[in-house]
Amino acid sequence: MHVGIAGAGLMGRLLAWRLLQRGCQVSLYDDHAPAGCASAAMTAAGMLAALSEAAEGTTAMATLGAGAVVAWRQLLAELAAEGAPPVWFQGRGSLVVAHPADAADLERLRRLLTTRVAADRFHTLDAAALSELEPELAGRFDGGLYLPEEGCIDNRQLLVSLEWVIRQLGGEWHAGTSVKEAAPGQLRLADGTQYFDLAVDCRGAGAVGQCPGLRAVRGELLRIAAPELQLSRPVRLAHPRYQLYIAPRADNSYVVGATEIESAASHAVTVRSALELLSALFSLHPAFAEAEILEMNAAHRATFTDHLPRVEATPKWLRVNGLYRHGFLLAPTLLDKALAALPLPQAVPMAAVS
Ligand SMILES: Cc1cc2nc3c(=O)[nH]c(=O)nc-3n(C[C@H](O)[C@H](O)[C@H](O)COP(=O)(O)OP(=O)(O)OC[C@H]3O[C@@H](n4cnc5c(N)ncnc54)[C@H](O)[C@@H]3O)c2cc1C
């Protein structure tokens, strides 16, 4: 089966890997270079936040994203077994805290999780328990919520690892190649239409205008280096207007995000957004004042009105989109769902592929 995939972001790469494992010939098209920072996948914080995302108003992720940490552990073990570059991953849970003035927002999240999710999927911490779990926050907050099933993944290392395994398995990578239109069995490029047994559309926000109901929501975040601070898990700051989260990486750098703006504009991070993110960060811990700002990035999250993803499979056609703020959280589930919808043989063992 020859598969043409439009979009080599998160879903495009995961699908390419799995389809190559099943003996398909895969041609992957992306309008950017593999390490380009334009995609949501390259920009994202990589939080696996099934429960704390309820702070944004929906509890659907608590069901859809349950088991994400376990599923990623398995996927990463498979990548490692295939010899792919390592991916930093952490599944030690996450914390939600609030300043006294915003205690009502933390309490609202706690009630929402208790009544609409499950009281046994999180723990309410007092100040002492919070300090024990995350010593850097000692004395800074009266308590918080601990969400043991959450985690985070280094999104950029994951993309590098997937690119490596795709090339290793013989995937054809057409970087800098825009797909103007995708349809069953075909991808239209600038220099003509390519025909496939299966066409896959994973263009994320790049498919807005060609995928009914899909829109782009802008998100901005910062990458900082703060060697003197040792947060060991993601921390979210409950706030009435915006939710700051900080996701650690292996090298004492952190991803700080993220704004949520109803706009498809693709300019650089605004002063307002940078001020909001940085002031919230400083309020989480004043030692962040000495951190270095490494990058400020903006990208678009593709979403439908209900903020839920779609997997559509018809003969010669697969489209996965609408992953919104939860692409990394939901990817393992969506990957299985997409593959189950296709008429494919079972995975071919690595030895047989080479
Ligand atoms: C600021 C921000 C923070 C985020 N944080 C998190 C988080 O902490 N946790 C989480 O789970 N999710 C997070 N997300 C969401 C997550 O990044 C997305 O849900 C996920 O990347 C979507 O995957 P995708 O493959 O559908 O799209 P993308 O990852 O955007 O990939 C789409 C690919 O298609 C390519 N493309 C687009 N148009 C064309 C075209 N015409 N021709 C060829 N190629 C094209 C793009 O270059 C890109 O490589 C965040 C997103 C943003 C923007």
Side-chain angles (χ1 to χ4, degrees):
M1 187 189 267
H2 188 191
V3 184
I5 302 181
L10 177 61
M11 281 317 296
R13 289 184 204 210
L14 283 168
L15 279 163
W17 173 39
R18 283 301 195 224
L19 290 168
L20 285 160
Q21 284 179 321
R22 283 163 170 75
C24 297
Q25 181 190 343
V26 173
S27 303
L28 196 51
Y29 299 86
D30 199 283
D31 55 0
H32 286 84
C37 281
S39 70
M42 204 53 97
T43 306
M47 303 245 298
L48 306 175
L51 299 169
S52 52
E53 276 291 295
E56 295 289 330
T58 169
T59 53
M61 295 309 134
T63 310
L64 294 174
V69 163
V70 175
W72 272 113
R73 266 194 225 287
Q74 283 166 2
L75 284 172
L76 297 184
E78 257 189 82
L79 275 173
E82 293 189 22
V87 180
W88 183 83
F89 172 81
Q90 190 241 65
R92 282 198 213 126
S94 76
L95 289 166
V96 188
V97 293
H99 292 297
D102 305 323
D105 293 279
L106 188 65
E107 177 55 19
R108 189 178 62 85
L109 176 61
R110 196 189 66 76
R111 260 189 275 125
L112 193 68
L113 292 175
T114 307
T115 53
R116 305 237 328 255
V117 182
D120 60 358
R121 287 176 68 183
F122 71 95
H123 304 282
T124 304
L125 307 178
D126 61 16
L130 176 66
S131 310
E132 200 177 317
L133 202 61
E134 202 59 61
E136 291 285 15
L137 298 182
R140 300 209 48 78
F141 296 94
D142 294 339
L145 302 182
Y146 173 52
L147 312 169
E149 65 189 74
E150 297 200 341
C152 66
I153 185 167
D154 188 317
N155 53 319
R156 292 185 175 179
Q157 287 184 357
L158 173 71
L159 294 175
V160 168
S161 198
L162 287 169
E163 181 195 346
W164 184 93
V165 81
I166 289 166
R167 291 191 193 276
Q168 198 69 14
L169 294 174
E172 226 180 76
W173 197 299
H174 301 268
T177 307
S178 178
V179 174
K180 306 289 175 202
E181 215 174 316
Q186 48 186 280
L187 300 179
R188 189 164 67 77
L189 313 177
D191 56 357
T193 300
Q194 299 287 320
Y195 296 90
F196 302 93
D197 301 306
L198 174 71
V200 180
D201 189 359
C202 288
R203 286 175 294 166
V208 169
Q210 291 179 28
C211 178
L214 192 72
R215 73 177 198 278
V217 177
R218 188 178 150 88
E220 297 150 305
L221 48 67
L222 319 174
R223 282 168 198 269
I224 60 165
E228 24 340 269
L229 273 163
Q230 313 275 339
L231 291 177
S232 62
R233 51 178 60 77
V235 178
R236 192 178 285 250
L237 187 64
H239 189 275
R241 276 189 302 117
Y242 49 82
Q243 306 283 331
L244 174 100
Y245 56 71
I246 171 153
R249 290 293 186 262
D251 51 358
N252 274 36
S253 68
Y254 297 90
V255 183
V256 181
T259 61
E260 170 97 3
I261 301 164
E262 280 293 340
S263 165
S266 54
H267 52 77
V269 175
T270 62
V271 169
R272 175 198 294 268
S273 297
L275 282 171
E276 280 184 1
L277 291 171
L278 288 170
S279 56
L281 179 69
F282 180 68
S283 80
L284 187 77
H285 200 301
F288 278 120
E290 301 308 322
E292 276 178 58
I293 299 173
L294 304 176
E295 290 177 34
M296 297 196 187
N297 304 111
H300 293 104
R301 310 171 175 109
T303 188
F304 296 98
T305 316
D306 59 7
H307 294 322
L308 296 176
R310 308 274 193 276
V311 175
E312 299 163 37
T314 57
K316 293 191 158 208
W317 175 245
L318 174 69
R319 175 158 61 195
V320 185
N321 213 325
L323 279 64
Y324 187 40
R325 307 172 52 93
H326 314 114
F328 288 85
L329 176 71
L330 302 181
T333 305
L334 295 176
L335 183 62
D336 288 348
K337 198 171 169 188
L339 293 170
L342 299 175
L344 292 171
Q346 281 307 299
V348 179
M350 263 302 271
V353 172
S354 57

